[in-house]
Structure formats: structure tokens, C-alpha cells
Amino acid sequence: MVALFLQNRRFRVHMGDQVSAWRGQSNGLPQGSILSPTLFNLYIDDLPGTESRKFIYTDDICCALQARSFVDLEKGLNPDMAKLSEFWDKWCLTPSVTKTVSSVFHLDNRHAAQELNIYLSGRRIKHDPHPVYLRVSLDRSLTFRQMPQRLLPKLSPETT
């Protein structure tokens, strides 16, 4: 049944009034299927152990680490990213380096602008002081001040 779910898939791209030719889809899982998250979780069930704690929801993985200094965070997270990169390479998974971000949550205003130097697949990942995880906007001190600004456009009468 799973093989049938993953075989003979194809796609095409619509841009404006133009449509591409059909192409075969030989990897990945169908978007929007209720079976895809379960299959993905089975596929990554043997993720390697890391110093950081992993929070996983469908295909989003968050690595969280608590430390006393930014240096300690980098010393813990960079080896974890290297372990995960090896795992992804082994199982032909490609994480999006452009969508991956680092963030720091703390109350020390002296370090408000400090960024982490975290690397994924040999590339430094972008630092985002206001990351969004599972559609929740976070900020440095976890006040959730960004959430109302994100939600206001969605609550306007024109969108209903």
C-alpha cells in the first residue's frame, strides 16, 4: 500500500497563464496527505542522539540547548548539526539551509544583538531574532509581542 502511495507521482508548475510539462516525482512525500507525516516520522526514527533536545513536528525539527554563554551554545549546537547532517546525507534527505535559523532566548540586554555562529552542511545558518516555529512568533525574551502584529492582517474583515 505504501509503495502504491509513492509510485507514479508527477507534477507540473503553473506560472501565470503558462503551464510546464508533466515531470516525474521520484522522491519526497505527497504534500497534504495525512499519511506523509507518519511516514516521515518512521523514516527519521533513528535520528542520532544529540546534546540538544529535539522537538519534531511533521518535517520541522527544532534543536534546543540551554547554556550559560553563547560560546557554550555554539560548542553544543555545531556538533549536533554535524551529526544531523551526516544522518541526512546517509538517508538522502536535504535540509533547507536557507529556511534554517538560529535564535537565542534570554533577558540580558547587553547581548540583545549578539548572534550565534551555527553551521549546517558547512554553511552558516541565518540568525533570526524573531523566529516562527509552528506558526508561533517568538522573541528574545519569549514575550510573544510579535504574535498580535502577525495575526491582525488575518483578522481583518477583507480576509473573511
Side-chain angles (χ1 to χ4, degrees):
M1 187 169 103
V2 172
L4 288 173
F5 177 67
L6 298 175
Q7 289 176 348
N8 301 319
R9 293 181 299 134
R10 58 190 196 141
F11 69 96
R12 63 183 179 174
V13 177
H14 296 258
M15 289 185 68
D17 58 351
Q18 296 187 340
V19 180
S20 73
W22 285 100
R23 309 263 177 171
Q25 177 73 40
S26 59
N27 61 357
L29 294 167
Q31 293 286 317
S33 165
I34 60 171
L35 186 56
S36 294
T38 302
L39 291 175
F40 181 75
N41 285 334
L42 289 171
Y43 196 70
I44 65 163
D45 183 58
D46 60 342
L47 271 173
T50 56
E51 183 179 344
S52 59
R53 185 171 177 191
K54 294 184 286 294
F55 297 91
I56 303 171
Y57 182 78
T58 60
D59 63 348
D60 287 329
I61 300 175
C62 172
C63 294
L65 185 64
Q66 184 175 353
R68 293 203 176 271
S69 72
F70 286 79
V71 171
D72 290 342
L73 288 172
E74 292 170 354
K75 284 181 181 177
L77 288 171
N78 277 312
D80 287 355
M81 292 295 105
K83 279 185 189 178
L84 293 173
S85 290
E86 286 177 27
F87 175 85
W88 292 320
D89 287 345
K90 176 182 175 183
W91 294 110
C92 302
L93 295 168
T94 307
S96 174
V97 177
T98 57
K99 289 183 182 178
T100 304
V101 299
S102 69
S103 296
V104 181
F105 306 107
H106 61 86
L107 298 174
D108 187 351
N109 290 331
R110 293 173 297 158
H111 297 288
Q114 188 165 347
E115 298 183 0
L116 291 175
N117 291 306
I118 305 297
Y119 295 85
L120 176 62
S121 302
R123 293 175 51 197
R124 184 177 184 269
I125 62 173
K126 177 177 69 171
H127 181 83
D128 186 349
H130 302 287
V132 176
Y133 184 66
L134 302 178
R135 296 190 180 185
V136 175
S137 296
L138 304 169
D139 61 77
R140 178 176 55 86
S141 54
L142 296 176
T143 62
F144 303 100
R145 286 189 188 126
Q146 298 293 318
M147 278 305 289
Q149 285 88 13
R150 275 192 73 236
L151 292 175
L152 279 176
K154 296 177 183 184
L155 298 174
S156 69
E158 295 93 39
T159 60
T160 57

